[in-house]
């Protein structure tokens, strides 16, 4: 046995050396990965100086890696925040557009009403003087009701306007027949003849039609802008699922673990991940586009026959024309009322009542051509406002279906679509070979990058779909000139953002990867050094050991 001691010991040492050489390849430096990791505010002690074994990794490649377990966990959180941030940025601009336009329209409509009321008050004080001052609350109530309708919507415009003309007839009838005494019951009888006698001519009918259509369209349009603002605000707060987060960290940071810190994700690779992570948002697109089309239809009405500015600017003139009609036809109207309601009681001698001046009203407004439209309220005109918002609405169409592409167009998220060969494909620096899946939840069953539970739509998204659907219906009613019943369209969400609708405990949380480095080699291939491969050294040592044993036997 002693004679075999030295050769046996030599072979044992040779085999151990081969195993050690095979297990300890020449490690690469991770200095650049470490530097970028620290630049994000993370602890430098998490990052190794050289490659380490990656058996601890759960998402990225389990080969030799520059990522520790702590790094992968923090990259996972960072990728989630990066995703939420870039989606929010895309949505914030659209939300700001709708918010600013709603504010401008709201200011314009309210100031338009204020201006119209002031114009009527100034004109009637000059024209009718004390008589108007005694009855000014009637006109003040009219504008208060119009404002209340615009703000709250809980006013029946047709009934309110009918009541205004009936009350005006009572006041006018008493004034033009000041020699008589009228009881409240008698005046109530007088008001019943408003429609039949048409004491104000055709003004009440025309004005009722114009005011109702214009106010319904204006308020519905403003509410539409507010709904669009709120929908974008709620949907922009995304809460990625576990599966989405895994895909995000794989896309955005697993390349760092292989030392490919300057290689950006392939555009189509990014597109598939975004379509998976934003699958529910994609389902907004159909109802969103229908809503935008309805808004554009109402905008056309606001520019044309339902222009609230063209209704409110001359409302003082129209009401004055109606009063003039009543004055001119007061004798015929009074006779017919006396026939229907009975002869009134004359006032006692010595009682004198003032009647409205018989002077004609001459302060007419010259109609404006569109190009001469003044800045009547909020420093602008309705035509200018509508022209601007129509352009923004057209740009907002198909926003949700194009959101994944918009995110991937951000240079922080992916390489350009023209750079298809020199990009990160989730496995290495090479072309991405999978086709891009469609938008929406139903199309994600075959998404190669993100596992999406297509059976669980997001509740928040469904609520926004319903809000858009309800508002679209109101828009169509307003377009057709019909009154709209308004109620608050509120979202009873818990405040959490939108996700894919997949519950984490029921969804797979890990993926298998066949990651490659920039040269196209597998991770196991990276164990080779620049010289003779490690496996070759082990092979040569084994042969040498066998030859030594043979030679020793011959020496015996």
């Amino acid at each position: 046995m002693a004679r075999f001691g030295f050769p046996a010991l030599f072979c044992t040492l040779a085999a151990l050396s081969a195993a050690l050489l095979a297990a300890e390849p020449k490690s690469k430096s991770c200095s650049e990965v470490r530097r970028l990791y620290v630049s994000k505010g993370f602890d430098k002690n998490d990052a190794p100086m050289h490659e380490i074994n990656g058996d601890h990794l759960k998402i990225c490649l389990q080969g030799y890696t520059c990522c520790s377990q702590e790094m992968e966990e923090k990259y996972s959180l960072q990728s989630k925040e990066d995703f939420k941030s870039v989606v929010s940025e895309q949505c914030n601009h659209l939300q700001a557009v709708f918010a600013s336009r709603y504010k401008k329209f709201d200011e314009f409509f309210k100031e338009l009403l204020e201006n119209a009321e002031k114009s009527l008050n100034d004109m009637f004080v000059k024209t009718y003087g004390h008589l108007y001052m005694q009855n000014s609350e009637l006109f003040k109530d009219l504008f208060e009701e119009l404002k209340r309708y615009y703000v709250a919507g809980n006013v029946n415009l047709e009934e309110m306007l009918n009541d205004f003309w009936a009350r005006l007839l009572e006041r006018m009838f008493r004034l033009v027949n000041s020699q008589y005494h009228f009881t409240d019951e008698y005046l109530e009888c007088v008001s019943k003849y408003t429609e039949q006698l048409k004491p104000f001519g055709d003004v009440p009918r025309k004005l009722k039609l114009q005011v109702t259509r214009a106010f319904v369209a204006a308020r519905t349009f403003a509410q539409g802008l507010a709904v669009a603002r709120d929908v974008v605000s709620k949907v922009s707060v995304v809460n990625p699922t576990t599966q989405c987060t895994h895909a995000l960290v794989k896309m955005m940071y697993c390349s760092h673990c292989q030392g490919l810190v300057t290689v950006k994700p392939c555009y189509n690779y990014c597109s598939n991940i975004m379509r998976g992570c934003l699958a529910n948002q994609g389902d907004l697109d159909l109802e969103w586009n229908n809503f935008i089309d309805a808004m554009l239809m109402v905008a056309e009405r606001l520019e044309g026959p339902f222009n609230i500015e063209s209704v409110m600017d001359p409302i003082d003139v129209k009401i004055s024309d109606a009063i003039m009609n009543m004055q001119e036809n007061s004798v015929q109207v009074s006779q017919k009322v006396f026939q229907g309601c009975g002869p009134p009681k004359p006032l006692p001698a010595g009682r004198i009542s003032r009647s409205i001046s018989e002077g004609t009203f001459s302060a007419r407004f010259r109609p404006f051509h569109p190009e001469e439209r003044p800045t009547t309220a909020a420093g602008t005109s309705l035509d200018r406002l509508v022209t601007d918002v129509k352009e923004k609405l057209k740009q907002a169409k198909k926003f949700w279906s194009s959101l994944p592409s918009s995110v991937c167009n951000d240079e922080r998220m992916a390489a350009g679509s023209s750079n298809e060969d020199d990009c990160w494909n989730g496995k290495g620096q090479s072309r991405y070979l999978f086709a891009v899946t469609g938008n929406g939840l139903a199309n994600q069953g075959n998404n190669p990058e993100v596992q999406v539970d297509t059976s669980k739509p997001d509740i928040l998204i469904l609520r926004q779909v319903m809000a858009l659907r309800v508002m679209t219906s109101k828009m169509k009613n307003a377009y057709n000139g019909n009154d709209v019943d308004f109620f608050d369209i509120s979202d009873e969400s818990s405040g959490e953002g939108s996700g894919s609708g997949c519950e984490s405990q029921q969804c797979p949380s890990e993926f298998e990867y066949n990651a490659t480095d920039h040269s196209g080699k597998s991770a196991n291939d990276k164990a080779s050094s620049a010289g003779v491969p490690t496996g070759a050294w082990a092979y040569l040592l084994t042969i040498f050991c066998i030859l030594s044993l043979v030679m020793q036997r011959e020496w015996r």
Side-chain angles (χ1 to χ4, degrees):
M1 293 291 293
R3 288 181 295 176
F4 294 98
F6 177 76
L9 179 62
F10 180 82
C11 288
T12 302
L13 291 173
L16 288 172
S17 299
L20 289 171
L21 285 168
E24 295 183 5
K26 183 179 179 180
S27 62
K28 293 182 181 179
S29 172
C30 296
S31 59
E32 187 62 17
V33 176
R34 180 186 173 97
R35 185 188 66 79
L36 289 175
Y37 180 79
V38 172
S39 70
K40 291 184 175 293
F42 298 134
D43 188 350
K44 67 179 180 180
N45 294 323
D46 296 341
M49 294 297 296
H50 299 279
E51 284 185 328
I52 58 176
N53 188 290
D55 291 344
H56 55 273
L57 298 179
K58 297 179 180 180
I59 301 173
C60 298
L61 176 69
Q62 290 186 334
Y64 282 90
T65 180
C66 285
C67 291
S68 64
Q69 182 178 349
E70 292 78 12
M71 290 177 69
E72 186 183 52
E73 291 172 354
K74 290 179 181 179
Y75 275 150
S76 182
L77 294 173
Q78 185 64 44
S79 64
K80 191 174 180 179
E81 292 304 313
D82 291 347
F83 169 70
K84 292 166 71 172
S85 176
V86 73
V87 171
S88 179
E89 286 177 15
Q90 293 291 331
C91 295
N92 284 349
H93 174 70
L94 185 63
Q95 182 193 354
V97 166
F98 283 114
S100 63
R101 269 55 182 187
Y102 168 75
K103 183 179 179 182
K104 197 69 175 176
F105 266 88
D106 187 58
E107 290 175 352
F108 175 82
F109 290 141
K110 289 177 179 177
E111 192 169 324
L112 184 67
L113 287 172
E114 294 288 344
N115 290 350
E117 182 177 11
K118 184 177 184 302
S119 177
L120 183 142
N121 184 73
D122 293 344
M123 178 187 291
F124 279 30
V125 166
K126 293 178 182 178
T127 306
Y128 303 115
H130 186 64
L131 285 175
Y132 166 71
M133 299 296 292
Q134 288 180 318
N135 297 278
S136 61
E137 80 280 357
L138 177 64
F139 301 92
K140 184 177 180 180
D141 290 345
L142 169 65
F143 283 97
E144 284 299 320
E145 289 296 288
L146 290 174
K147 292 174 189 175
R148 191 158 70 90
Y149 172 80
Y150 174 73
V151 172
N154 56 349
V155 175
N156 186 309
L157 288 175
E158 186 171 339
E159 290 181 4
M160 183 272 292
L161 290 169
N162 287 339
D163 181 64
F164 167 75
W165 292 112
R167 291 173 64 195
L168 183 59
L169 175 60
E170 292 176 11
R171 305 289 180 97
M172 289 287 298
F173 190 79
R174 178 180 284 166
L175 290 171
V176 297
N177 295 283
S178 56
Q179 69 273 30
Y180 296 106
H181 171 71
F182 298 103
T183 63
D184 290 340
E185 291 77 12
Y186 195 95
L187 291 175
E188 187 175 342
C189 177
V190 172
S191 65
K192 294 178 181 178
Y193 283 85
T194 305
E195 282 293 322
Q196 178 183 341
L197 299 178
K198 291 184 170 41
F200 300 109
D202 207 27
V203 174
R205 183 190 67 81
K206 289 182 177 178
L207 194 60
K208 180 167 62 177
L209 183 64
Q210 293 170 346
V211 167
T212 300
R213 287 180 170 180
F215 269 77
V216 168
R219 187 174 195 275
T220 307
F221 193 75
Q223 290 295 306
L225 293 172
V227 167
R229 174 201 63 195
D230 295 342
V231 166
V232 176
S233 174
K234 291 167 184 173
V235 177
S236 66
V237 183
V238 291
N239 187 25
T241 63
T242 301
Q243 292 70 35
C244 171
T245 303
H246 283 187
L248 289 169
V249 71
K250 178 184 173 185
M251 180 187 86
M252 301 170 73
Y253 291 109
C254 282
S255 57
H256 290 206
C257 297
Q258 294 192 23
L260 305 177
V261 294
T262 61
V263 182
K264 294 182 179 180
C266 299
Y267 184 84
N268 286 348
Y269 175 45
C270 174
S271 295
N272 269 337
I273 291 178
M274 291 306 136
R275 293 189 181 203
C277 291
L278 298 171
N280 286 283
Q281 283 78 357
D283 285 341
L284 269 176
D285 209 52
L286 176 61
E287 211 58 56
W288 176 263
N289 292 338
N290 291 338
F291 166 77
I292 294 293
D293 287 338
M295 287 282 287
L296 289 169
M297 289 167 60
V298 176
E300 291 179 3
R301 291 295 204 207
L302 288 175
E303 289 179 314
F306 298 177
N307 188 315
I308 192 173
E309 191 173 20
S310 65
V311 172
M312 294 308 297
D313 275 353
I315 196 170
D316 48 6
V317 177
K318 293 175 181 179
I319 294 176
S320 185
D321 285 344
I323 293 173
M324 294 300 105
N325 284 331
M326 174 61 186
Q327 282 185 278
E328 293 168 1
N329 300 308
S330 60
V331 176
Q332 298 92 317
V333 170
S334 297
Q335 288 176 350
K336 291 181 179 179
V337 169
F338 294 159
Q339 290 175 4
C341 298
K345 289 183 179 182
L347 282 172
R351 294 279 300 274
I352 302 174
S353 296
R354 295 182 180 179
S355 61
I356 292 181
S357 171
E358 293 295 330
T360 59
F361 179 72
S362 59
R364 294 290 195 269
F365 287 161
R366 174 178 65 89
F368 290 99
H369 296 293
E371 62 272 11
E372 298 175 335
R373 180 70 64 185
T375 54
T376 56
T380 187
S381 71
L382 186 61
D383 290 339
R384 296 189 187 101
L385 286 174
V386 171
T387 298
D388 170 67
V389 82
K390 279 173 64 178
E391 185 63 29
K392 302 301 180 185
L393 286 168
K394 291 173 183 176
Q395 294 172 3
K397 200 168 182 181
K398 297 184 178 180
F399 175 81
W400 302 108
S401 60
S402 62
L403 182 58
S405 297
S406 299
V407 170
C408 293
N409 284 331
D410 191 314
E411 62 179 8
R412 295 170 297 177
M413 299 298 290
S417 56
S418 60
N419 183 11
E420 297 181 356
D421 296 315
D422 190 27
C423 55
W424 171 252
N425 64 8
K427 298 178 181 179
Q429 188 175 1
S430 183
R431 176 184 286 267
Y432 183 72
L433 300 178
F434 291 102
V436 176
T437 190
N439 280 299
L441 192 62
N443 288 317
Q444 301 313 308
N446 296 320
N447 192 312
E449 305 303 336
V450 187
Q451 294 185 25
V452 180
D453 188 346
T454 57
S455 67
K456 293 184 178 180
D458 188 275
I459 298 302
L460 184 143
I461 297 295
L462 292 180
R463 287 174 177 165
Q464 305 319 305
V465 167
M466 183 56 64
L468 291 170
R469 190 172 295 164
V470 169
M471 201 64 222
T472 299
S473 176
K474 294 180 184 298
M475 288 287 171
K476 292 178 179 178
N477 282 332
Y479 175 81
N480 292 323
N482 301 325
D483 203 351
V484 175
D485 293 327
F486 284 99
F487 60 88
D488 290 334
I489 304 173
S490 59
D491 176 37
E492 300 176 359
S493 65
S494 62
E496 294 182 357
S498 171
S500 74
C502 186
E503 297 178 5
S504 59
Q505 65 268 28
Q506 296 178 339
C507 300
S509 60
E510 294 187 2
F511 295 87
E512 292 182 358
Y513 304 112
N514 182 23
T516 58
D517 67 9
H518 63 279
S519 64
K521 299 176 183 178
S522 67
N524 293 330
D525 293 338
K526 294 197 293 182
S528 299
S529 65
V532 180
T534 303
W537 281 112
Y539 176 77
L540 290 173
L541 282 170
T542 302
I543 295 297
F544 182 78
C545 179
I546 293 171
L547 289 173
S548 297
L549 289 172
V550 171
M551 291 175 67
Q552 185 182 40
R553 184 176 294 275
E554 290 179 353
W555 290 338
R556 290 178 59 195

